[in-house]
Amino acid sequence: MVDERAQASGDDGLDGLETPCLILDADRLKANVDGMRRRLDKLGVALRPHLKTAKSLPVARMAMSRPDGPATVSTLREAEYFAEGGVRDMIYAVGIAPQKLDRVGAIRRRCTADLAIVLDSRAQAEAVALWSRRAGDALPVLIEVDADGHRSGVDPRDAEQLRAIGDALAEGAELRGVLLHAGDSYGLSDPVALRAAAEAERSAAVAAASILRDAGLPCPTVSIGSTPTARYAAHLEGITEVRAGVFMIGDLFQAGVGSCAVEEIALTVLTTVIGHQHQKGWIITDAGWMALSRDRGTARQAIDQGYGIVCDRAGRPLEDLIVRDANQEHGILALRAGASAALPDLPIGTRLRILPNHACATGAQHDRYHVVAEGRHKGEIWPRINGW
């Protein structure tokens, strides 16, 4: 239970923090993880959480089903960090460059980690098989398949290319399965369209897996992953795992998609009021785009949230108040265009919290989470990492 009297009196532990800084609500985080796990359990598939948003070992331990995994990462820096923290079962879910194979091998060897890689071309497969033969380490590989023309991957109907990649990998590496990411789902908001995207993702994965199996090639893993499709999938027949990630923290972009509610977002930036421009209707804070990021993804959605929604120190949104603009170290708070609410009286020194547009981008501006539980920060700090 949140103690609102303690927050109002400043006993929530936030006054001792230098601003701007990153606040993580552990209660919301846990509720989000538990909710996704219940949903996927009901659908009969495993959760392989994507850790690219969190980039923190304590968060990973809350999200994973075991201390050693499974997990998904988006950089080799993440793979190193989590492997050093005891995570052993990982997929590096970005197409591999041959120059990175020595580093992949070093992580596998030094940390005895089962680190799998991803590719979508015969040229990559041949390079991986050659490296595997020379190193005496059969690298586990998933073939990336393209469900929606979003970015990378093999057409799931292209049997010739899928078989060619599988045959090339058989010369030294280990074909472990197929992997998809329905990236176009992030541009949707209608539940019917999101359910259709989820089914298109599922059917593309199953089709590609069937082609490999019919060719006598192994395909034990059929891995899909995006928070919107994980939320809206009607069934996941033929799928073995889901790699959703941002669901555990949430952000305003995901709220605009319909993947989470604003009150479920676990991440905020703590900031302090440092000035006013009364004639312009502005309130100035010390959290600019260096603290919030320059992500303006909600500008393309039905509701433009500026650089973020402004909340009181308890994390409750203030009516119609957003970060209208941002400079490097200054946030400019103002009412939405056409708002009927009055500009709140926020004196110099007032502590506020900003809900971010994109949790990954905002998190990347910081090296730690200041953890809040039951409405209080009791000094707990969780480190997070950046870099590649």
Side-chain angles (χ1 to χ4, degrees):
M1 180 70 67
V2 174
D3 188 339
E4 295 184 1
R5 291 174 301 175
Q7 292 174 331
S9 65
D11 291 340
D12 53 15
L14 300 183
D15 282 333
L17 299 178
E18 293 284 346
T19 60
C21 66
L22 204 58
I23 303 294
L24 183 63
D25 188 316
D27 299 319
R28 291 186 180 186
L29 171 66
K30 185 177 186 304
N32 293 341
V33 170
D34 289 348
M36 181 61 78
R37 195 173 298 283
R38 285 193 300 271
R39 172 164 176 72
L40 296 183
D41 284 348
K42 185 176 180 180
L43 292 171
V45 297
L47 172 62
R48 179 183 289 274
H50 206 315
L51 304 177
K52 68 175 183 176
T53 304
K55 294 183 186 281
S56 175
L57 192 57
V59 179
R61 288 172 175 152
M62 290 182 69
M64 297 184 304
S65 58
R66 308 183 310 271
D68 65 344
T72 313
V73 297
S74 63
T75 70
L76 289 179
R77 175 71 188 98
E78 291 170 31
E80 289 164 343
Y81 166 74
F82 289 115
E84 289 162 2
V87 182
R88 296 290 176 261
D89 179 2
M90 289 184 285
I91 297 174
Y92 171 42
V94 175
I96 194 65
Q99 295 87 341
K100 296 182 180 181
L101 292 173
D102 285 343
R103 191 173 174 194
V104 170
I107 297 168
R108 288 171 53 81
R109 183 175 60 255
R110 185 174 67 251
C111 299
T112 61
D114 181 24
L115 176 61
I117 59 175
V118 170
L119 51 78
D120 67 354
S121 71
R122 181 166 187 160
Q124 289 170 300
E126 289 172 347
V128 169
L130 176 60
W131 185 95
S132 296
R133 292 195 302 272
R134 288 176 173 174
D137 180 8
L139 291 181
V141 176
L142 292 100
I143 301 175
E144 184 171 7
V145 178
D146 181 16
D148 52 19
H150 174 69
R151 188 172 57 202
S152 303
V154 180
D155 187 318
R157 299 160 297 184
D158 191 340
E160 183 178 354
Q161 188 174 10
L162 286 166
R163 289 194 298 265
I165 293 172
D167 289 342
L169 290 172
E171 298 300 315
E174 175 196 349
L175 175 57
R176 190 165 286 182
V178 296
L179 174 148
L180 282 81
H181 172 64
D184 275 6
S185 65
Y186 285 79
L188 305 174
S189 59
D190 176 64
V192 174
L194 284 161
R195 282 192 289 273
E199 174 55 22
E201 179 185 42
R202 186 203 69 82
S203 62
V206 170
S210 295
I211 287 171
L212 292 174
R213 291 166 181 158
D214 289 347
L217 293 164
C219 189
T221 300
V222 184
S223 179
I224 64 172
S226 84
T227 287
T229 54
R231 293 286 195 199
Y232 283 91
H235 73 94
L236 291 174
E237 183 179 350
I239 303 301
T240 62
E241 65 179 29
V242 168
R243 304 181 325 279
V246 73
F247 76 89
M248 64 183 86
I249 289 176
D251 54 34
L252 293 173
F253 186 89
Q254 290 296 321
V257 170
S259 295
C260 70
V262 169
E263 57 269 22
E264 294 172 332
I265 299 173
L267 193 72
T268 51
V269 173
L270 183 68
T271 186
T272 305
V273 174
I274 60 171
H276 302 89
Q277 291 290 332
H278 296 291
Q279 72 280 15
K280 298 178 180 178
W282 291 356
I283 300 167
I284 312 300
T285 72
D286 63 357
W289 54 255
M290 283 292 285
L292 301 172
S293 89
R294 298 201 77 144
D295 192 288
R296 290 280 288 106
T298 61
R300 301 188 299 273
Q301 295 182 326
I303 300 176
D304 184 352
Q305 306 288 15
Y307 284 84
I309 290 178
V310 182
C311 303
D312 65 15
R313 65 188 297 147
R316 295 168 297 211
L318 299 174
E319 186 179 1
D320 285 330
L321 192 63
I322 61 172
V323 184
R324 175 83 67 80
D325 203 353
N327 301 124
Q328 185 164 331
E329 302 296 351
H330 294 75
I332 300 174
L333 315 188
L335 295 172
R336 299 178 188 279
S340 58
L343 189 71
D345 180 19
L346 300 173
I348 301 290
T350 301
R351 291 289 169 107
L352 301 168
R353 288 162 67 178
I354 311 298
L355 291 167
N357 279 326
H358 186 175
C360 301
T362 297
Q365 311 304 305
H366 303 265
D367 65 358
R368 70 197 69 185
Y369 297 108
H370 299 271
V371 180
V372 168
E374 298 181 339
R376 293 172 180 262
H377 173 59
K378 301 177 182 178
E380 190 168 7
I381 293 173
W382 293 352
R384 70 182 312 284
I385 55 103
N386 288 310
W388 291 266

